[in-house]
Amino acid sequence: MKPVDFSYLNAMNLEQAENALAGQSCSIVSGNQSLGPMMNLRLARPGVLLDVSRVEELRRAEETDTEVRFGAAVTHAEIEDGTVPDPTGGWMRAAASNIAHRAVRNRGTIGGSLCHADPAADWVTVLPALSAQISIAGPDGVRKVDAIDFVVGPYATVLAPGEIVVSVAVPKPSAAARWGYWKFVRQVGEFSKASAAILDDPDTGRSRVIVGALGRQPLLIDKPDDVIAGRIDGKAALSHALPDMPACAVRMHAVAIDRAIEQMAGSPE
Amino acid sequence: MAGDTGTKERSNSGVGARQIRREDDRLLRGKGRFVADIKMSGMQELAFLRSPLAHARIKSITVPDALRDTVYLAADLTGVIGIRADSGLPGFRSSVQPILADTKVRHVGELIAACLSDTRAGAEDIAEEIQTEFDELPAVWDMTAAQSPDAPLIHENWDKNAFLETQTEVDFDGATADAAVVVNKTFRTARQCMAPIEGRGLVAVWDRTLEVLTLHSATQMPHIVRTGLAECLGLDHGQVRVISPDVGGGFGYKGILLAEEVCACYLAIKLDRPIRWIEDRREHLTAGANCREHFYDITGYAAADGTLLAVDCNALVDSGAYSSYPFSACLEAAQVTSILPGPYKMRGYRCSATSVTTNKPPILPFRGVARTGVCFAIELLLDAIARELSIAPEEIRARNLVTPQEMPFTNITNKYFDSGDYPEALRRAIEAIDLPSIRSEQKSQTGRERIGVGLSIFCEQGAHGTSVYHGWGIPMVPGFEQATARLTPDGGLELRVGVHSHGQGLETTLAQIAHERLGITIEKIKVVHGDTAYTPYSTGTWGSRCIVMAGGAVATACDALGQRIRNIAGHLLQSENDDVALEDGVARAGTASVSIEEVAKTWYLKPQLLPDGVDPRGLEATEGYKTVQDTGTFSYACHAVKVSVDLDLGHVKLLDYVIAEDAGTMINPMIVDGQVLGGAVQGIGTALFEEMPFSETGQPMASTLADYHLPVAADIPDIRIIHMETPSPLSYFGQKGIGESGAIGPPAAIANAVNDALSSLGAEVAQVPMTPERILAALDQAEKGDKA
């Protein structure tokens, strides 16, 4: 199938992008790895496509003492390859290297993946676990949203019409922090059936257990320290958080939590 | 082996050579020319309005007035008849597949309207504007439910939802009397899409001067499509030319006359404009023909030592809504009854098989045809019997396999096994996978991951001919396979064959065969295929037949041509024909020689030098070839696989994979490897990933490749192939058809390995693909059974 007719706008800087957004309803696109196929299937029919893949401000990554701020149009491949700094000393590079296939990673972007908000997408799970913060530009200026609050349902975010994600700031974990990210995919490149991302960082108080691929927004598990220490098992934590979850799904996601913890225990300090 | 070229040393590009595939230079550099690469001025793009419902009466189709000139409905196709592929087997119920449906639709994706525009997107826009009203009928979505007396009838004038029921019974009564065990199982294989990299596609163009329709189509059988098109369109054969250019994989999916082809050709003639239709992946998945969906209720009777006494089976094949041309809806199910025994001996046998009609797209024979299903059924049954008797899987197989001493062997369903050593293939596969070490590894496992090993053995009948296909009574029966060998004035050789090469490497192997017979350097040999105007009639590429049939035809034509070359050369060398040998591009008699190029020049350009009484047919020979008898060559293999199963996730990993196979004389061992590996990967897809599920309303549920999971490189272990080489007494060089073999064994071997891994837990899978959900369900069921 081929897409229905659409207009194409190409922004070279943030001002052009914001002006375009102010003037009309646009679908923002960069790598076009999710919207493109949906357009080809005629499931998505945007009247105007605003391409931000060349917007200079969105293509940068800036490192400070405390964080790295990724422009929304930084690609998965740039993170995987270390072309941009990794605030986590390799955890983000590892996560990026397992997103879909290299061809997708060459084009797909961190901001695009978040905005598409596929419940099974990697960044949608990983970034909340790292306590990332998302900067959103809109008609009323820039606002910041914690990654855990950004996705509000399957393919749904807090973005209002006319808003655009500008950057994603990921704080640097402490030297003692440990990390585990595990996802269940049968095949390389497919969306996961279950995933869990865990940061154990007592020095900063940012320890988190996030469960993904639930068909909804990522789940922030209560009492992460107890889960990480094994005082609460994954099944119990999931059943407590989502009492209506089917038993088979609980089992699979509990395995994801267990294996993310195992992986964490095994990772070098 | 017929004849001898007199070559002193083994040529490095003749039969048996590991010759690099000549077509790859073009294909790997992106210089192939596929249907979608063809552009013509004034060409219109065609898109179809397809049925959104599986089973419905059409109440109305409304085309907006403004679009009326761009939309064609059934009533517009004057004089066009639907596609009909009947079997001559008694009791066959005949279906007619409309080119465009106007009264009733019988599967999702069935064609309703043809829409034309300058672009595909424009044609799709038009299709969206057409309004349709339906009376929806209950869909027949499951082949077991289709048999129920209150199931709605898909073809109203039939008495039931079945194209055909076939039965075979041989010495069954009494054979079961001594049985120490009786094991009954039900098995299922999923409905699959064949998913070649290139889908279907066509460009149809009418030449009003010559009054010839040319159809460029991605097809495995251009001549058969030509015959079918001429019938449906009411044209003379001479008015139809079919060209199959480079084709990106067939696997059976391109062995069909499509309604899309008939429709596009009609429009090309009517409008006198080139018409192009390129199937997209969504059409392939949701509307194109499917394959593989089998159900078995099978019972094995065995003696205490594992000797197989009898097999009793009731099989169903979900054949979809229509009988597809030319293979018909019943080939697959009818084949089940005749090939279920596989390479095993038994005293008694009974099998019935039904080609069930459902509200799904028609089925086509996919690589391996029914063999993948029957291998799954018989091999899982054998393992179940072995478990029941506490004997090893390799032991029960060794006990029942046909032996080399019994060759040639006629089995219980009258299949003629031409040659081979099946127990040796089993032995080599077991040795290579190192079965004893896996068994000892299994004893010490305690964690949540279990390893298992599984075996499957099967034979592949290839290149079977007239008597076999005449028996099915389908519209197409292969006879003599012809080839033309023509020497060009510069001493080059042109081979023309009616089969088509789309991955088989025939541009290489047929040239190797010609080189073997004539000694002409392979660089000067050109293989012409895929155009009905240039090539002799052929049923095409299917049934693992090309290397045997087209290979035999090329060898025979080359021999005839060689005789004529030797005649002229003998005259030029002042020697007797019989004393002339062809080698290294020259004709040699004793110490004297003349180049084949000079012989060619003499015939074409210097006829004054020819002898009196020279053969006036010149240096071009068309010959027909059949095997010694047409019962087919039997290649065979043993697959052995080691897996691990994650008990928490139901995830299966392939740790090691061995294939011990026998393709008879190998024309090119690298191409044999390629065929076996490619097939095995597709078989792994059948085993673990591929499934087109249908909803209860008959909707196909996997409409993109994100839902229809194909095997990818990372899923495939390093498959090790062990060659055996037992020549067939039936074929020209002893070669056997091997093209489908790889796809037959994996589901059975992998399922047996998974069941081996799960056996200590009492769990068993009986259905492919073995998804995590199915494996976890089997584990749950075993756990519940324990508690009960």
Side-chain angles (χ1 to χ4, degrees), chain B residues 359-583:
Chain B
N359 289 117
K360 298 179 189 173
I363 61 157
L364 283 173
F366 177 36
R367 198 175 198 174
V369 198
R371 289 174 199 284
T372 305
V374 302
C375 176
F376 186 68
I378 199 81
E379 291 293 312
L380 265 68
L381 178 70
L382 277 184
D383 268 25
I385 293 170
R387 276 196 294 276
E388 197 75 21
L389 290 169
S390 299
I391 62 177
E394 63 276 19
E395 198 182 319
I396 194 167
R397 286 175 174 75
R399 193 168 294 285
N400 293 294
L401 279 174
V402 55
T403 66
Q405 294 76 29
E406 291 166 306
M407 292 292 175
F409 174 76
T410 302
N411 85 346
I412 194 156
T413 55
N414 223 19
K415 293 282 174 192
Y416 181 86
F417 289 57
D418 54 349
S419 66
D421 188 344
Y422 291 65
E424 177 63 11
L426 171 64
R427 195 193 64 74
R428 291 194 193 186
I430 288 171
E431 183 180 83
I433 201 96
D434 196 359
L435 187 59
S437 88
I438 298 174
R439 291 294 178 222
S440 76
E441 199 183 333
Q442 283 177 316
K443 284 184 188 132
S444 57
Q445 38 178 7
T446 49
R448 297 294 291 162
E449 192 165 86
R450 297 294 160 89
I451 59 164
V453 62
L455 300 168
S456 69
I457 309 179
F458 57 88
C459 49
E460 180 194 2
Q461 186 182 15
H464 29 331
T466 312
S467 65
V468 179
Y469 278 86
H470 172 63
W472 305 118
I474 60 175
M476 172 197 86
V477 178
F480 280 95
E481 186 71 23
Q482 289 181 313
T484 300
R486 169 199 273 176
L487 205 59
T488 53
D490 59 354
L493 181 70
E494 202 178 273
L495 302 171
R496 298 181 170 206
V497 289
V499 297
H500 187 268
S501 184
H502 39 271
Q504 293 83 358
L506 294 169
E507 291 175 34
T508 304
T509 48
L510 295 181
Q512 286 181 254
I513 285 172
H515 171 76
E516 179 76 25
R517 300 307 301 151
L518 294 174
I520 296 172
T521 175
I522 201 158
E523 287 75 25
K524 295 188 80 169
I525 302 175
K526 181 172 177 54
V527 177
V528 177
H529 63 96
D531 188 333
T532 58
Y534 286 142
T535 62
Y537 200 94
S538 168
T539 55
T541 299
W542 55 276
S544 297
R545 63 190 300 277
C546 291
I547 204 60
V548 174
M549 299 305 295
V554 163
T556 307
C558 285
D559 289 347
L561 177 62
Q563 187 67 22
R564 298 183 205 169
I565 294 171
R566 280 199 296 271
N567 276 335
I568 296 173
H571 174 74
L572 297 175
L573 297 170
Q574 298 179 325
S575 177
E576 290 299 315
N577 168 4
D578 290 350
D579 298 334
V580 178
L582 303 178
E583 58 187 59

Side-chain angles (χ1 to χ4, degrees), chain B residues 167-192:
Chain B
Q167 288 86 28
T168 299
E169 183 171 339
V170 186
D171 303 332
F172 185 77
D173 289 333
T176 61
D178 303 332
V181 288
V182 180
V183 175
N184 173 258
K185 294 281 171 189
T186 56
F187 299 121
R188 260 180 192 271
T189 57
R191 199 172 185 83
Q192 282 183 242

Side-chain angles (χ1 to χ4, degrees), chain B residues 501-735:
Chain B
S501 184
H502 39 271
Q504 293 83 358
L506 294 169
E507 291 175 34
T508 304
T509 48
L510 295 181
Q512 286 181 254
I513 285 172
H515 171 76
E516 179 76 25
R517 300 307 301 151
L518 294 174
I520 296 172
T521 175
I522 201 158
E523 287 75 25
K524 295 188 80 169
I525 302 175
K526 181 172 177 54
V527 177
V528 177
H529 63 96
D531 188 333
T532 58
Y534 286 142
T535 62
Y537 200 94
S538 168
T539 55
T541 299
W542 55 276
S544 297
R545 63 190 300 277
C546 291
I547 204 60
V548 174
M549 299 305 295
V554 163
T556 307
C558 285
D559 289 347
L561 177 62
Q563 187 67 22
R564 298 183 205 169
I565 294 171
R566 280 199 296 271
N567 276 335
I568 296 173
H571 174 74
L572 297 175
L573 297 170
Q574 298 179 325
S575 177
E576 290 299 315
N577 168 4
D578 290 350
D579 298 334
V580 178
L582 303 178
E583 58 187 59
D584 302 332
V586 300
R588 202 185 304 279
T591 54
S593 68
V594 59
S595 70
I596 290 179
E597 185 179 345
E598 192 53 39
V599 172
K601 248 185 208 139
T602 304
W603 166 260
Y604 289 106
L605 304 171
K606 297 189 265 185
Q608 69 275 18
L609 300 178
L610 291 169
D612 294 337
V614 70
D615 188 335
R617 291 172 298 174
L619 297 176
E620 175 171 337
T622 299
E623 294 291 325
Y625 171 80
K626 268 190 178 183
T627 47
V628 174
Q629 63 178 54
D630 67 6
T631 47
T633 59
F634 277 64
S635 62
Y636 58 94
C638 178
H639 287 213
V641 59
K642 179 185 178 187
V643 305
S644 71
V645 183
D646 183 322
L647 300 181
D648 290 322
L649 297 167
H651 183 50
V652 177
K653 263 191 243 162
L654 305 181
L655 304 176
D656 193 11
Y657 206 115
V658 174
I659 299 174
E661 65 78 33
D662 190 341
T665 305
M666 288 186 282
I667 305 299
N668 183 333
M670 278 201 300
I671 286 182
V672 173
D673 281 350
Q675 286 281 25
V676 171
L677 288 173
V681 170
Q682 287 179 311
I684 288 168
T686 303
L688 297 176
F689 304 113
E690 294 186 45
E691 180 169 21
M692 173 54 75
F694 281 75
S695 75
E696 295 194 6
T697 56
Q699 291 290 329
M701 301 301 283
S703 59
T704 72
L705 291 180
D707 304 307
Y708 188 86
H709 294 272
L710 290 166
V712 300
D715 301 318
I716 309 302
D718 187 10
I719 297 172
R720 294 180 285 146
I721 301 175
I722 300 163
H723 293 295
M724 294 166 60
E725 209 166 349
T726 316
S728 170
L730 305 181
S731 63
Y732 193 98
F733 297 99
Q735 76 273 37

Side-chain angles (χ1 to χ4, degrees), chain A residues 1-5 40-43 45 101 182 184-188 190 193 248 251-252 255-256 259, chain B residues 120-121 124-125 128 280 282 646 648-649 651 688-689 704 709-711 714-715 770 772-773 776 780:
Chain A
M1 293 174 74
K2 302 292 181 195
V4 293
D5 212 14
N40 280 343
L41 290 165
R42 299 193 164 205
L43 296 171
R45 299 176 176 223
H101 300 278
W182 191 87
F184 178 32
V185 288
R186 291 184 76 203
Q187 295 188 281
V188 170
E190 72 173 3
K193 290 175 180 295
C248 56
R251 174 159 68 178
M252 209 172 265
V255 171
R259 294 197 183 176
Chain B
R120 171 67 182 244
E124 288 177 14
D125 290 343
E128 286 185 353
D280 65 28
R282 189 180 168 86
D646 183 322
D648 290 322
L649 297 167
H651 183 50
L688 297 176
F689 304 113
T704 72
H709 294 272
L710 290 166
D715 301 318
M770 289 170 281
E773 291 78 8
L776 292 176
D780 285 349

Side-chain angles (χ1 to χ4, degrees), chain A residues 128-131 146 171-178 199-209 220-221 223-225 228:
Chain A
L130 293 171
S131 294
D146 285 341
K172 293 182 176 175
S174 73
R178 300 182 307 153
L199 179 68
D200 179 25
D201 196 357
D203 292 359
T204 62
R206 289 203 296 259
S207 295
R208 278 188 169 183
V209 176
L220 176 67
I221 297 282
K223 299 180 187 163
D225 295 333
I228 293 166

